[in-house]
Amino acid sequence: AGSLWLLRQTALQAILGERPKTHAPDYYFTDATVTSLGTDGRPASELKSPRIVHHPDDDSIESFDPRMRYFMKNGTPWYVQADHALSPSGNHWVYLDGHVRMTRPSAGGGPPLVIVTDRMAVNLDTNVASTDDPVQMDQGQNHTQGVGMDAYMNDNRLVLRTAVRGHYVPQKKS
């Protein structure tokens, strides 16, 4: 009887194991804060999200309403938020979509730099954020628009690729 039961269990496990994986989550977090550490052991980035979901079929991680902070060696962090984020297997990229907003506070106490676009990809190894979509950049009364952008967060350098237009207000001399 025991051998018969074991044989049926083994056959049942084989049948269950052959089912194709679905894109159903195997675990999730609510109201989560995830901190990634750099090679020096210091925080490299922080993700806060009301819901983070892991999908085992492709080992991807989805974040809903993510708020990220990227710590830079020069001190001033970059802040990024969006409606949705997807990080494929390997966690070297984050793909953001929906009302993407990237902010960098001014080191000198002036107005922050605010970048708005619809989609953006962030390479977590190089801290380069890129988009092919239209971009709006605002800093105080200064406004710049373009299509396509690469933001080199480590160097605090931005490159707008095409159709660049800007409106700059000269500073008053004291």
Side-chain angles (χ1 to χ4, degrees):
S3 295
L4 182 59
W5 177 83
L6 184 60
L7 184 61
R8 283 188 180 174
Q9 287 298 102
T10 305
L12 181 62
Q13 290 294 333
I15 291 169
L16 292 177
E18 292 174 8
R19 289 188 300 176
K21 292 183 181 179
T22 64
H23 199 63
D26 60 347
Y27 65 85
Y28 65 91
F29 300 106
T30 57
D31 296 322
T33 300
V34 179
T35 304
S36 299
L37 302 178
T39 55
D40 59 359
R42 295 174 39 189
S45 64
E46 178 183 76
L47 164 66
K48 290 185 179 190
S49 176
R51 184 167 169 84
I52 298 173
V53 177
H54 177 260
H55 298 281
D57 62 326
D58 60 1
D59 196 29
S60 65
I61 297 173
E62 269 187 291
S63 302
F64 299 91
D65 196 25
R67 304 289 185 254
M68 290 158 280
R69 181 168 47 163
Y70 296 97
F71 299 100
M72 300 293 111
K73 292 180 181 174
N74 63 8
T76 306
W78 285 85
Y79 298 90
V80 180
Q81 64 187 54
D83 292 341
H84 179 260
L86 176 67
S87 182
S89 179
N91 295 322
H92 298 285
W93 286 89
V94 175
Y95 297 97
L96 305 159
D97 63 271
H99 304 100
V100 180
R101 182 181 177 98
M102 187 174 191
T103 306
R104 183 170 189 284
S106 173
L113 173 66
V114 178
I115 301 166
V116 178
T117 188
D118 287 329
R119 289 182 302 217
M120 185 179 290
V122 180
N123 183 321
L124 299 176
D125 293 331
T126 61
N127 285 328
V128 176
S130 300
T131 184
D132 294 327
D133 290 357
V135 175
Q136 172 73 38
M137 293 182 359
D138 299 310
Q139 189 167 25
Q141 296 179 343
N142 300 323
H143 311 286
T144 308
Q145 297 172 335
V147 177
M149 179 200 73
D150 298 303
Y152 300 88
M153 294 186 282
N154 290 335
D155 303 334
N156 297 318
R157 182 171 51 100
L158 300 170
V159 176
L160 290 173
R161 297 185 201 143
T162 61
V164 179
R165 295 184 326 216
H167 171 78
Y168 294 91
V169 176
Q171 293 182 354
K172 295 179 183 178
K173 294 184 180 182
S174 302

